[in-house]
Amino acid sequence: STPRMARLVSFKYAESNAGQVVKDAWESHRLNLSRCYIQNVSAAMARQVTAKDPYWRYTRTENEPLPINVASVSIGIDGTCMLFCEEGYRQAMVGTIAFFDATGERLHTIYVAAAPEHGKATFLERMDEEIARVRLNFAEARYVAITDGATDFVPWLKGHTTTQILDFWHAAEYIKPAAAALHRSSKAREQWTDDACHRLKHEHGAAKAIFKEFKAARERPLGAKIRKDLEAAISYFGNNLGRMNYASYRKRHVPIGSGVTEAACKTVVKQRLCGSGMKWKHSGADDVLTLRAITRSDGAWDAFWK
């Protein structure tokens, strides 16, 4: 394969399955390619991306914002399931490094992905390397971690960030079910839920106040389902109060949602590797995820080829 052919084939394979790339190559370029050829060339390109990573990653891409324009950098990691030939469903990992300006507007996002592995060592190593590179160019930015409340990677995130934030929307999801313990009528529940979410987002100390309301509701006679929802909310708020000062975060224009990372699970993994009837081997999945992450990181694909 020539470099130009390798670029064409591997990019298309990152976007679609081999059968679709065969059709596209013929219709668009009158190239008669085999599925194996497409897979082999793409695998070779994924290895090149990894092998040359120390060289091209430290070159600023044309789409990367200037350090003076970046006020904060958010780091997020999440997992999503995909189907493997021999092991069934396993969790692939996706990481995002998003850049925000002083008004809270997202400027740029870097994606990292890896096939399922025990301990997540390869994935975390890739994230470590990418964050180290980012810190060299954006040393003055505030580094924040946004999580959904899971504790698996909290120690790792604390090592890379100065501020840890609980995703606002995950916190809000616990408020509506628990409202049934405070009010009997559906109208009162809805009104209290809207008010509580507004306070949580805009008022200092709101999380602690709502937490106290939840605990006070324990004394009321409640059904089993309502009590279960209430206890879940109490546990969730109690474990995360230190990361729920959303009014303060918003005042400093720091992001409070993990939507970038959750969307990455869909766009990087689900849309390409979880099609109807798809099953993967580890090597093939990691090759596609490597290519998929770099093509999704605006400017990284061109930087690699240059």
Side-chain angles (χ1 to χ4, degrees):
S1 174
T2 63
R4 185 175 181 180
M5 173 66 83
R7 178 171 184 168
L8 182 150
V9 167
S10 56
F11 181 85
K12 290 182 181 294
Y13 188 60
E15 297 294 316
S16 305
N17 62 66
Q20 188 60 41
V21 177
V22 168
K23 295 178 181 178
D24 184 89
W26 176 253
E27 291 297 330
S28 301
H29 310 284
R30 279 301 183 261
L31 294 172
N32 189 14
L33 307 179
S34 73
R35 294 167 63 94
C36 288
Y37 176 83
I38 291 164
Q39 292 168 341
N40 291 341
V41 169
S42 298
M45 289 317 308
R47 290 193 293 271
Q48 288 296 314
V49 169
T50 303
K52 296 184 181 296
D53 185 272
Y55 304 98
W56 69 270
R57 285 284 190 185
Y58 284 88
T59 302
R60 180 181 173 274
T61 69
E62 296 177 0
N63 304 76
E64 197 171 85
L66 294 171
I68 194 173
N69 295 328
V70 176
S72 60
V73 177
S74 76
I75 299 172
I77 54 179
D78 203 354
T80 186
C81 288
M82 54 179 294
L83 184 59
F84 284 81
C85 296
E86 298 178 355
E87 300 171 272
Y89 284 96
R90 293 280 310 281
Q91 190 180 62
M93 296 301 299
V94 178
T96 59
I97 303 171
F99 302 79
F100 295 83
D101 64 15
T103 67
E105 186 74 19
R106 182 159 60 99
L107 304 173
H108 182 66
T109 306
I110 296 171
Y111 298 94
V112 177
E117 55 171 336
H118 295 290
K120 313 294 188 294
T122 300
F123 169 73
L124 293 177
E125 183 180 347
R126 292 178 184 177
M127 286 293 291
D128 288 338
E129 292 172 353
E130 194 63 39
I131 293 170
R133 183 194 71 82
V134 169
R135 281 188 175 278
L136 286 177
N137 295 329
F138 302 91
E140 302 302 319
R142 174 193 296 273
Y143 285 80
V144 302
I146 306 178
T147 68
D148 59 7
T151 59
D152 306 40
F153 299 102
V154 169
W156 181 87
L157 288 167
K158 284 184 176 180
H160 287 293
T161 58
T162 55
T163 305
Q164 292 79 47
I165 301 172
L166 179 73
D167 173 61
F168 172 79
W169 304 107
H170 277 83
E173 285 178 359
Y174 282 83
I175 291 178
K176 185 175 181 179
L182 283 80
H183 299 279
R184 291 189 175 184
S185 73
S186 58
K187 185 176 181 180
R189 293 175 188 176
E190 185 176 345
Q191 184 175 352
W192 183 87
T193 298
D194 291 343
D195 177 67
C197 289
H198 181 82
R199 287 187 289 135
L200 182 65
K201 192 173 185 179
H202 299 283
E203 295 182 12
H204 293 284
K208 290 184 179 179
I210 295 170
F211 181 56
K212 288 180 180 179
E213 290 185 65
F214 287 157
K215 290 200 294 184
R218 277 175 165 168
E219 306 302 321
R220 301 180 180 182
L222 304 172
K225 173 66 167 62
I226 294 176
R227 186 169 294 280
K228 181 180 178 181
D229 290 339
L230 176 64
E231 291 299 330
I234 290 173
S235 177
Y236 193 78
F237 270 63
N239 292 332
N240 296 288
L241 280 176
R243 300 185 291 150
M244 298 174 69
N245 192 4
Y246 299 112
S248 176
Y249 304 145
R250 284 172 52 79
K251 184 177 180 180
R252 290 175 285 173
H253 300 289
V254 175
I256 61 173
S258 62
V260 175
T261 307
E262 292 183 15
C265 288
K266 180 178 180 180
T267 59
V268 176
V269 182
K270 289 292 188 182
Q271 289 180 350
R272 173 63 182 87
L273 290 92
C274 297
S276 178
M278 285 188 177
K279 292 184 180 181
W280 294 87
K281 293 184 178 180
H282 277 264
S283 57
D286 205 46
D287 290 341
V288 173
L289 286 173
T290 297
L291 295 173
R292 189 90 170 158
I294 188 177
T295 58
R296 284 291 179 275
S297 302
D298 199 17
W301 185 245
D302 286 335
F304 164 71
W305 283 97
K306 286 180 181 179

